[in-house]
Amino acid sequence: MIIVKVGGSVFSDKRGEPENFKGEVVRSIARELASFYPGEDFIVVHGGGSFGHPEAKRYGIREGLPEDPATADFRRMGFTLTHEAMLRANARFIDAFVRKGLPAFSVSTSSVFITENGEVAYGDLEVLKRLLELKFIPVLFGDVSIDLSKGIDILSGDQIITYLARMLEPDKVIFLMDVDGIYDGRPGEGKLIQNLPREGIPALLERLNCTAAGTDVTGGICNKLREAEKIAEHSEVWFVNGKVRGRLSGAIRGDGFGTRIV
Amino acid sequence: MIIVKVGGSVFSDKRGEPENFKGEVVRSIARELASFYPGEDFIVVHGGGSFGHPEAKRYGIREGLPEDPATADFRRMGFTLTHEAMLRANARFIDAFVRKGLPAFSVSTSSVFITENGEVAYGDLEVLKRLLELKFIPVLFGDVSIDLSKGIDILSGDQIITYLARMLEPDKVIFLMDVDGIYDGRPGEGKLIQNLPREGIPALLERLNCTAAGTDVTGGICNKLREAEKIAEHSEVWFVNGKVRGRLSGAIRGDGFGTRIV
């Protein structure tokens, strides 16, 4: 089984119009997956892009549910509106996948997972496992979450994948990004790292200045690398460009262009 | 806590255009709930109406996943498309509720419940319970389901409520219908039953010819009565007209017009 993460920046421009969606990119991803299905099982997890991020920020979801009733009311509304925005992104994915003949099935992240400190504290994977057995392709997404300490929070697609990798032990986890992989420095400046041993990640995190929080609500590349370090305990990890046709297929086959963590 | 079921025929005309939605009816329901919130906690479950039913029928979802690969592929597509149609109905509900200031939150039925023989065999209520604690109004819906014996099936809103009533012991369950309540005979012909003792239900089922399967995919009034009999073990049950303003409020207060099962 292979888990594919479609980063928000692959299918959407966060700085563009609200809820913009690169349909041709997602259809191309679906086409590549279709050429391996049903021989290979997949779980797809997508990010928020221009759908979830603006709402999550506007309502300050990450700050949790406060005591003050007026602020709490405001946050509750933001919580539900952020989820609805993510469902709209998800519906676009399902539509693109179905058009390519893939039985993608929407699983609502917030219905299944409970978080604590931004990580999954509890997750019920019964439905997910059975969907896989029945040859569906479950499609999850970064979403709002009920949180044990803050009341409410955001659960990023990357965190979902860390949890799924630990529980389901996939053969491979593939992160689709809008760059060619992990760079030793800023993308476009540093050199692309094609083979990254898991033990090399802590030193890389330091070189990339990952001690401070990133600008992305979900932590960006630093967070990705930290999660990749955990995931690589259980499975091979790939970072490839999701906007360049064929890169996903290369990672599925195992001979692709991008960053491979072993 | 009160569970409110909004029947498909209340918010949609099953014989009308695909995905027709009576927004003014749902906004009126939201307005009535808002006058009791946050003093009272609610769970809302809605049916399929012109959203889920046509898809479920076209793809024969109730017949399960067969051995034949081509039919299985067809059913898998129908399964995902039926769920997407229900998510569109659900989004209309959430929108109407949020506009009335209610923090309604979408919970995907198929992400949470697994069925066997049309009943809930497994359900994870962790998220639901915490949503209630945090003063959200969870909104679930009749949906497709992973099924232990048939692979896939339909889980009706009424069945969800039976399960929730058993697990959560609500103070009251209110079924909103497009008629005034339960009739001793066909609606409009028989007499409205205002007080129905639970022990009277088996005799009524016989008088209503409920031994044969109904025309509704989810069983219609016979199924409702059978479920009501089970629910009444745990909670007071009301059947009221969801299209007449004030009837829902009457049932919430306990002095309303409709059928009350005690």
Side-chain angles (χ1 to χ4, degrees), chain A residues 76-77 79-80 83-84 91 94 101-102 104-108 110-111 122 124 127 130-131 134 136 146 148 151, chain B residues 76-77 79-80 83-84 91 94 101-102 104-108 110-112 122 124 127 130-131 134 136 146 148 151:
Chain A
R76 278 191 202 92
M77 289 300 172
F79 187 80
T80 195
H83 178 59
E84 292 301 308
I94 300 294
L102 293 173
F105 187 74
S106 168
V107 175
S108 261
S110 51
S111 298
Y122 173 85
D124 178 31
V127 167
R130 286 172 196 275
L131 283 168
L134 298 172
F136 285 98
I146 292 293
L148 295 179
Chain B
R76 278 191 203 92
M77 289 300 172
F79 186 81
T80 194
H83 178 59
E84 292 300 309
I94 299 294
L102 292 173
F105 188 73
S106 168
V107 174
S108 262
S110 52
S111 298
V112 172
Y122 173 85
D124 177 31
V127 167
R130 286 173 197 276
L131 282 169
L134 298 172
F136 284 99
I146 292 294
L148 295 180

Side-chain angles (χ1 to χ4, degrees), chain B residues 1-3 40-41 168-173 234-237:
Chain B
M1 189 265 292
I2 296 178
I3 300 180
E40 187 63 71
D41 295 324
L168 304 177
E169 302 253 330
D171 301 307
K172 210 174 275 186
V173 173
H234 310 280
S235 120
E236 194 176 304
V237 180

